[in-house]
Amino acid sequence: MKHPDFDVVIVGGGHAGVEAADAARRTGARTALVTLRREDLGVMSCNPAIGGLGKGHLVREIDALGGIMGRAADASGIQYRLLNRRKGAAVQGPRTQSDRALYAAAIRNHVAEADGLTLIEAEVADLIVRDNRACGVVLADGSEVPANAVVLTTGTFLRGIIHIGDRKIEGGRMGDRPSVALANRMENLGLPLGRLKTGTPPRLAGKSINWDILQEQQADEDPTFFSFLTTKVHARQIACGITHTNAHTHDIIQKNLGRSAMYGGMIGGIGPRYCPSIEDKVVRFADKDSHQIFLEPEGLTTDVVYPNGISTSLPEDVQHDYVHSIVGLERAEILQPGYAIEYDFVDPTSLSDQLELRVLGGLHLAGQINGTTGYEEAAAQGLVAGLSAARQSLGLDPVTFSRRESYIGVMIDDLVTRGVAEPYRMFTSRAEYRLSLRADNADARLTPIGLSLGIIDDTRKQVFEAKMERLEKGRALLNSVTATPKEAQAVGITVNSDGKRRTGMELLAFPDLDIADLARISPEVSGLDCETASQLKIEATYATYVARQQKDAEALNRDEAKQIPQDFPYGEVVGLSNELRGKLTRVRPSTLGQAGRIDGMTPAALALILTKLRQLDRISA
Amino acid sequence: MMQTIFALATARGKAGVAIIRVSGPEARAIGEVLCGSVPTAGSHSLRAVRGEGGTTLDQALVLWFEGPNSFTGEDVLELHLHGSVAVVRAVEARIAATGLAREAEPGEFTKRALLNDRLDLAQVEGLGDLIEAETEAQREQAQRVFTGALSEKMAHLRELGIRAAALLTATIDFADEEVPVDVLPEVRDLLTEAMVELEQEIEGSHVAERVRDGFEVAILGAPNAGKSTLINTLAGREIAITSDIAGTTRDVLEVRLDIAGLPVTVLDTAGLRDSEDAIEVIGVSRAVERALAADLRVLLKTDDFELPTALEQNIDLVYGAKADLTGNGGISGLTGEGVDQFVADVARILSERVSKVRTAISSRQRQGMQRALVAFGHVISSVETEIAAEHVQDGLHALDSVIGHVDVEAILGEIFSRFCIGK
């Protein structure tokens, strides 16, 4: 069978794959999405939740660029909670638990309705490689899907092995088979590979849990949505149960450590420190005699419960024993045992800023295969890879997301310049411009970029422009309202009597002041709508810090603007240590700024590179 | 490829020994051309250094260091020659003639040590000072920095800052985990400890600059109180460590001395008296200014003398002038009476100040520390966690500017080792 020609073919229908496919088709590329089964689209293989700190920022950014994840999360959200609600807006992260079935349905429907996107249900057996470029894929039935560019989002399929105690199952996820030929092809490219591991907890039957004696965690009363287009809650909100491990639980685990795949020496990969198995917690924090567990229902129509906090690779009988030692879970029925999975990932320093493999043009990688973990991280990479593959295929200029304007840029830059030592997860602390890269202003930061790339539809464009207009008007109004300390004090606003006349925006920067207070100075202000008012309050709060960061960033920008050619002769740079020379040759930073972020880089070495760059400029001039 | 460089490492001129140092990839080849072979790494042996026609230029002790275990981090050859001007010149010409190396620029060996991570920036500063050191206190101070005491101190302060950042980050990025809710008291303790040390360092660095550049002691008094005589006596009795300052032969205006290992410049000032003469008034006000800028002000007191008001509160030591005439004790430059006491007093006061020197020695280091001090202060007064975290980062960057490099991985590493993250 002969498939039609495509501009871009995406392999894999997980979070990275569908976002890549959607970004590619929105760019205008004829796009094929190849996945084993239609039902695999939008499956949450681990925790049934979207967002969190840093992760919520990523989802907002994906949405601001017209992506799918935010809308699917809102279509399935059953317990919205804004994390860090009591802290400043810059570090608040939207999160929700999602109904698995609703989430997958939202994704499936979107893919089915999307123009320019063809879904192919098949197993990809191999790549088509011509002139050292990936130009399509070969399916298991031998047929070919030709394309100008390929995006591989195959998760943990490279030598993926599942461990339950001493039982081993080959495969990427429970029930999936690995694609051997494709894996061999990847291995034969001679890419630097690393090995990681991750784990999941046993799944429990909700009806077997004694909810009555457990503490509850409720959803927020005023939910914070992911998508800038969402205006209402779509699904019924539910509560989670909270319980704890105890000394007896720890005893059981301690006694059986030798039978754990991770501790019995059966797994060599490196696991994430921020998501340790229960074995890890018991060993590494031996002084703690209790750890918290959240019992999260996986949906409104299913009885499956995800006990968040006890992922494990112990044998099934031990899992039974320790689960039953926990309050409320004495009679809990295990529907599916917890397991650990180890897999190979491609060292992401072998990728360009567009997530394209340097050694094989046209092949883009996104998601877990790049050493990341998390749906949100995968989706954000998918968006970048899909967009880049499409633009490359259509002969458009490449796009680079910068650290200054998005968490997406922070993540891509971290991956391609520093590589990963453990599964990479987003944190707000990774973003040095955290105070300006907020979840609340993701649209202001990124939708204009999306518009210039032509990937934003009319509905979103209108919503965005209307919101920006309201904000601009509000800002102008607050800048026109001014008050001397005396005038401010007269209406009960405490400011220093320094004689300085302040604008409404400047007054709003005071922590305990809000729009209602300003209305006492100028009644006009009370005409601002709630959303605009709270957005302006956030802007005012961070204004001085953002301005200072702006200045730092400008200094940095000189480095960022200094391009390093891909064929830069590091071997000729006199005085560079062999170690750094090796790293630079491997990573091939595209700017001086990126070079500066390589692990172990010294100011002296940067100066040497800069000197060489100047020399080269002189020669070519 | 890095070029090979060579230079005379000892002072030029006649001496017992002269050392020529060669550093770089061709060092071994040069050793082989000149001496037939080089000794095994880290050892030395006696070899004939041969000229172009095979003539012997000198018998030299040859030392061989293999990179990275050398001062520069590269292969290093050292030729310990007899300290003859002619021998040195001949061997230098021979090395140049091989075409394998060029003469080093000033400071180039040290620069290579820096580039090869054998020294950090502070250590280079320490090394510079060590080479310049003329007195015992200067040597001790430079040695401390060169051997990495400042680097260690910065590492310690950074550790405190990173722990504070980790605590703040834990409450931000792991809000839904079992981490402590109120970390501010611990953050405050950590940063207060850092700030106390920073303040001491900053204070000490001012004194350290004096140790490096010299303390100034101004001698004040009426005209003819015996100031110049005292200075002349000091110049004759103590170790005058420089002789190239203008006018050092007879009518000494200032003299640089080594007092208790400290470099001290004793200044003569114009006699202080009220005057109608416009030119003399200018001279007196300059003397007052100069005296105020000095580290110590010593008054030689005579009966009818009144101090200008600007100096009244600023006199550190007072002695009766012309003890040989008054017979009331005090100082006499002429007979030497009281001069020992004067030297002892100056030594005591300055030594006390020097005891405040910690590890920082330069104004560049001080500026970095001052920025860190201000930033940590902001952390303590911040209400919002994310703003506090921002200031900790600023402080860490400021400390970095003194020595090294911090990044988010260091902070996350600290969190993961302290808290059980992952519910």
Side-chain angles (χ1 to χ4, degrees), chain A residues 305-536:
Chain A
V305 168
Y306 184 98
N308 199 341
I310 50 170
S311 79
T312 185
S313 62
L314 286 160
E316 283 176 67
D317 60 309
V318 184
Q319 293 190 31
H320 275 100
D321 288 353
Y322 87 67
V323 164
H324 293 155
S325 73
I326 295 166
V327 172
L329 305 184
E330 293 87 349
R331 285 166 215 284
E333 183 194 339
I334 293 181
L335 299 172
Q336 178 193 306
Y339 60 88
I341 172 162
E342 60 172 339
Y343 53 97
D344 281 354
F345 70 99
V346 175
D347 175 356
T349 62
S350 44
L351 301 170
S352 70
D353 290 338
Q354 287 72 39
L355 298 182
E356 183 183 9
L357 264 182
R358 247 186 246 107
V359 295
L360 183 62
L363 184 59
H364 296 70
L365 307 184
Q368 252 175 317
I369 193 168
N370 291 341
T372 63
T373 171
Y375 312 144
E376 303 82 355
E377 288 83 351
Q381 289 171 71
L383 188 147
V384 171
L387 177 65
S388 298
R391 291 183 69 82
Q392 186 184 58
S393 164
L394 299 174
L396 301 168
D397 287 341
V399 188
T400 303
F401 290 90
S402 101
R403 301 184 73 89
R404 255 187 80 182
E405 63 198 13
S406 64
Y407 274 77
I408 295 178
V410 170
M411 174 174 66
I412 303 287
D413 187 61
D414 279 351
L415 291 175
V416 305
T417 58
R418 310 184 54 139
V420 300
E422 67 183 321
Y424 180 96
R425 175 187 147 178
M426 186 43 78
F427 298 109
T428 70
S429 44
R430 295 195 192 275
E432 55 273 56
Y433 302 115
R434 174 163 70 185
L435 299 185
S436 29
L437 306 186
R438 305 185 305 267
D440 65 79
N441 68 0
D443 54 348
R445 289 184 281 122
L446 294 176
T447 305
I449 294 176
L451 284 166
S452 72
L453 296 173
I455 54 172
I456 303 294
D457 65 24
D458 288 343
T459 316
R460 185 180 295 273
K461 183 177 175 212
Q462 280 157 19
V463 169
F464 172 72
E465 284 174 351
K467 178 178 167 187
M468 290 304 118
E469 201 183 312
R470 285 197 304 276
L471 273 173
E472 196 36 61
K473 276 192 183 148
R475 228 174 268 133
L477 173 63
L478 289 185
N479 279 324
S480 69
V481 172
T482 62
T484 61
K486 224 178 225 163
E487 289 163 354
Q489 286 155 6
V491 294
I493 296 172
T494 353
V495 290
N496 279 346
S497 301
D498 52 7
K500 194 179 157 231
R501 183 172 276 281
R502 290 180 172 83
T503 68
M505 280 306 268
E506 284 167 341
L507 285 170
L508 210 48
F510 288 78
D512 36 12
L513 217 80
D514 62 25
I515 291 280
D517 297 302
L518 288 181
R520 295 205 297 275
I521 297 174
S522 167
E524 226 186 315
V525 172
S526 54
L528 291 175
D529 64 285
C530 259
E531 192 199 0
T532 306
S534 75
Q535 191 62 44
L536 291 175

Side-chain angles (χ1 to χ4, degrees), chain A residues 276 281 309 429 542 548-549, chain B residues 173 386 390 394 407 421-423:
Chain A
K281 292 187 190 183
S429 44
Y542 294 114
R548 209 183 57 194
Q549 285 194 334
Chain B
D173 267 338
E386 75 276 17
E390 191 72 16
D394 277 357
D407 66 12
I421 300 291
K423 54 186 188 191

Side-chain angles (χ1 to χ4, degrees), chain A residues 108-162:
Chain A
R108 269 201 314 273
N109 291 342
H110 185 94
V111 170
E113 288 165 12
D115 290 336
L117 178 54
T118 307
L119 183 72
I120 300 174
E121 285 184 273
E123 181 187 350
V124 170
D126 201 356
L127 298 173
I128 307 172
V129 176
R130 245 176 251 126
D131 302 330
N132 203 33
R133 266 194 74 81
C135 36
V137 296
V138 183
L139 303 182
D141 63 7
S143 63
E144 296 194 344
V145 184
N148 292 328
V150 179
V151 181
L152 215 52
T153 68
T154 42
T156 57
F157 92 114
L158 284 178
R159 293 206 301 139
I161 297 176
I162 286 172

Side-chain angles (χ1 to χ4, degrees), chain A residues 47 49 51-52 79 81 83 95 97 199 201 217 240 242-243 245 273-278 281 291-296 306-311 425, chain B residues 174-178 420-423:
Chain A
N47 186 0
Q79 196 207 34
R81 281 200 314 117
L83 303 183
R95 179 190 192 269
Q97 252 175 262
Q217 184 182 52
C240 289
I242 297 177
T243 183
T245 61
R273 288 171 299 174
Y274 42 79
C275 189
S277 64
I278 188 67
K281 292 187 190 183
H291 296 281
Q292 195 167 242
I293 304 167
F294 287 82
L295 300 170
E296 304 174 344
Y306 184 98
N308 199 341
I310 50 170
S311 79
R425 175 187 147 178
Chain B
F174 303 96
D176 50 344
E177 307 269 0
E178 293 172 276
C420 182
I421 300 291
K423 54 186 188 191

Side-chain angles (χ1 to χ4, degrees), chain A residues 53 83-84 87-88 91 95 273-274 276 281 284-285 288 290-292 294 308-309 418 427-430 434-435 542 545 548-549 574-575 602 604 608, chain B residues 1-3 115-117 169 171-178 384-387 389-391 394 407-409 412-413 416-423:
Chain A
L53 294 159
L83 303 183
N84 279 341
K87 292 200 175 74
V91 293
R95 179 190 192 269
R273 288 171 299 174
Y274 42 79
K281 292 187 190 183
R284 288 186 41 219
F285 297 92
K288 285 198 75 169
S290 173
H291 296 281
Q292 195 167 242
F294 287 82
N308 199 341
R418 310 184 54 139
F427 298 109
T428 70
S429 44
R430 295 195 192 275
R434 174 163 70 185
L435 299 185
Y542 294 114
Y545 299 96
R548 209 183 57 194
Q549 285 194 334
V574 168
T602 63
L608 290 174
Chain B
M1 214 37 189
M2 196 73 146
Q3 276 184 300
L115 292 175
N116 290 326
D117 273 341
T169 304
T171 62
I172 291 172
D173 267 338
F174 303 96
D176 50 344
E177 307 269 0
E178 293 172 276
E384 297 287 358
T385 322
E386 75 276 17
I387 307 252
E390 191 72 16
H391 289 303
D394 277 357
D407 66 12
V408 63
E409 280 303 324
L412 291 174
F416 296 138
S417 66
R418 284 196 62 184
F419 305 120
C420 182
I421 300 291
K423 54 186 188 191

